[in-house]
Amino acid sequence: MNTIAVPVNPYIEKEEDIRSICIGPDGDVLSGNVYRSDIMEIIDGYVPTLTKE
């Protein structure tokens, strides 16, 4: 049986380690919207989805 090993990507960042954010034209960022909430409230309330590495 042929199995292909997928290499581990050393550049994948942890979701809980926010270094930058991107705000969409409609104000969407992380799990909120800057037109409806303060950006610091959105960042403080952000709960990352847990993914297996």
Side-chain angles (χ1 to χ4, degrees), residues 27-38:
D28 284 347
V29 60
L30 298 174
S31 58
N33 188 293
V34 295
Y35 296 126
R36 295 187 204 114
S37 302
D38 182 69

Side-chain angles (χ1 to χ4, degrees), residues 10-21 30 43 46-51 53:
Y11 300 104
I12 294 176
E13 295 183 9
K14 296 180 180 177
E15 292 182 12
E16 66 271 6
D17 186 19
I18 299 174
R19 296 180 186 196
S20 65
I21 58 172
L30 298 174
I43 292 172
Y46 174 67
V47 178
T49 56
L50 299 176
T51 57
E53 291 183 25

